[in-house]
Amino acid sequence: MVHVIDESLKLVSAQQELVTTALGWLKAPTTLPQRANSALLLANMARTDEMCEMFISRGLVSLLLHLTQIEEPEELSGKVLVSALSALRNLCLPVSQKAGLVESGVLDAALRCLRDSKWPHVHFKCLGIARLLAPLKEVCVQLSQPGTVALVCERCSPAEPAQVKIEGSRLLAGLVKYCQSEEVMRVVISEGGVKLIASLLDSAHLSLRNEALLALNLLAVVKDDGEFKTSLTDEVVVGGVWGVVSAGDSSPELVSNALTFLVLLAEKQWTAEVREKLVMLEGLTDKLDSLTQNDSQTVSDLAKQLAKKLSLNPT
């Protein structure tokens, strides 16, 4: 037992020495590649709340923010910036640290880099930082400004890698969820955010599909409005939601959330438009018929409601 304790103390001591060395490398006059490697090392170590808290207490945030302001050579391809942002992103994971990081200027730095950098891997890290901080009310308000939402949607363009689009779409879904404000929802809709949120429905990850459905359901409960109607009844959106219903790997929770969205639309004065799009989908009546016999009472009831609204009358 004593041997085990001794070995553990040695590991802790070695880790502390490594952290001290890495923090020292972040300061000049080390080279930019050395500083980038140091930031990346610390990012990989910032995997627990305890490590994040220790890094923050030792002044890591200010060192990383300084790196985000350095004009690095073109040949580094944004390596310094993305390394610093990677570390800052991981520091945003602990709930207890989010407010302090915002006060330190982490969100402002991420938005600046999102706007100014041309590198997609930088955009990915910036969007990740914003998404992790979005649950804070003041952050949600800041991120939901029209100019910021427009920038996020721009970074989700087809020209960007898929991971950037996914991260940006998750951020938009988060803004709808955390703000729950009609004004914010209108901004997301006006900037074309609904289709981006709906794009998460194609994800292989069930949790991302659910994030999209929760946001779409919140959008669907807003009062009848022409702008909302155009976006929410779009074929991409309605078809994507129905795809979740008909997918073989969808959990009862996912199917329930997807059916809820379609029922909410049908309960508005949009039944004709929704029905027109849904009745064109292959296997609609048969699928709803089978869902009325689902083991989940919620799924069964929602399937019956939707069939009734669409005058399909499954057996």
Side-chain angles (χ1 to χ4, degrees):
M1 177 64 71
V2 173
H3 175 71
V4 172
I5 294 175
D6 287 344
E7 290 301 313
S8 298
L9 290 173
K10 288 180 181 178
L11 288 174
V12 171
S13 177
Q15 184 185 68
Q16 291 294 332
E17 290 181 11
L18 180 60
V19 169
T20 298
T21 301
L23 288 171
W25 286 346
L26 284 178
K27 305 172 185 177
T30 51
T31 66
L32 284 179
Q34 284 177 317
R35 296 165 82 177
N37 290 336
S38 175
L40 198 56
L41 170 64
L42 294 171
N44 290 328
M45 296 179 69
R47 300 292 184 180
T48 65
D49 287 6
E50 292 76 15
M51 288 298 290
C52 290
E53 291 167 6
M54 185 268 287
F55 285 148
I56 291 172
S57 69
R58 295 189 64 173
L60 176 59
V61 175
S62 60
L63 294 173
L64 294 172
L65 289 175
H66 177 68
L67 281 186
T68 67
Q69 299 175 13
I70 291 177
E71 185 175 346
E72 59 184 296
E74 183 74 15
E75 60 267 22
L76 289 180
S77 304
K79 180 180 179 180
V80 175
L81 185 53
V82 80
S83 298
L85 292 169
S86 294
L88 288 171
R89 180 199 177 281
N90 288 353
L91 294 179
C92 291
L93 289 169
V95 174
S96 61
Q97 303 301 318
K98 293 182 189 293
L101 291 171
V102 173
E103 292 177 6
S104 297
V106 171
L107 179 64
D108 291 336
L111 293 179
R112 170 174 49 78
C113 295
L114 180 65
R115 181 188 67 242
D116 297 341
S117 177
K118 67 177 183 179
W119 303 107
H121 49 303
V122 170
H123 301 161
F124 175 69
K125 296 299 181 181
C126 293
L127 291 167
I129 290 172
R131 179 177 62 80
L132 290 172
L133 295 176
L136 298 179
K137 183 177 180 180
E138 65 272 22
V139 172
C140 195
V141 171
Q142 181 177 350
L143 292 174
S144 60
Q145 298 303 306
T148 304
V149 173
L151 177 60
V152 171
C153 292
E154 179 183 338
R155 293 305 185 217
C156 294
S157 69
E160 295 270 356
Q163 64 177 2
V164 177
K165 181 179 179 181
I166 291 172
E167 195 68 69
S169 299
R170 294 185 71 190
L171 173 56
L172 294 171
L175 293 180
V176 172
K177 173 184 176 181
Y178 297 124
C179 288
Q180 294 195 25
S181 156
E182 182 176 328
E183 181 180 354
V184 171
M185 294 179 188
R186 289 189 182 281
V187 172
V188 171
I189 284 178
S190 65
E191 297 298 339
V194 174
K195 282 188 178 181
L196 291 171
I197 292 173
S199 70
L200 294 172
L201 298 172
D202 296 327
S203 172
H205 301 285
L206 300 185
S207 60
L208 299 195
R209 296 187 215 171
N210 208 38
E211 286 180 22
L213 289 170
L214 291 175
L216 290 173
N217 285 344
L218 288 169
L219 289 165
V221 299
V222 177
K223 64 184 180 181
D224 293 2
D225 181 283
E227 191 175 22
F228 277 71
K229 172 183 172 181
T230 300
S231 295
L232 295 177
T233 61
D234 185 276
E235 291 182 5
V236 172
V237 178
V238 175
V241 172
W242 180 252
V244 173
V245 176
S246 56
D249 62 344
S250 292
S251 65
E253 179 186 8
L254 280 177
V255 175
S256 173
N257 287 335
L259 288 172
T260 296
F261 174 77
L262 298 173
V263 169
L264 286 170
L265 293 191
E267 287 179 342
K268 295 177 179 289
Q269 303 304 311
W270 307 344
T271 305
E273 289 86 346
V274 175
R275 186 178 191 281
E276 180 182 350
K277 291 177 172 62
L278 280 177
V279 295
M280 300 299 293
L281 299 172
E282 184 177 355
L284 172 67
T285 302
D286 290 343
K287 185 62 178 180
L288 283 180
D289 192 8
S290 68
L291 288 175
T292 60
Q293 310 300 320
N294 194 275
D295 292 339
S296 167
Q297 189 63 49
T298 301
V299 170
S300 176
D301 290 344
L302 287 167
K304 291 174 183 177
Q305 287 182 52
L306 183 58
K308 183 177 179 180
K309 292 290 183 182
L310 301 178
S311 303
L312 297 176
N313 299 318
T315 58

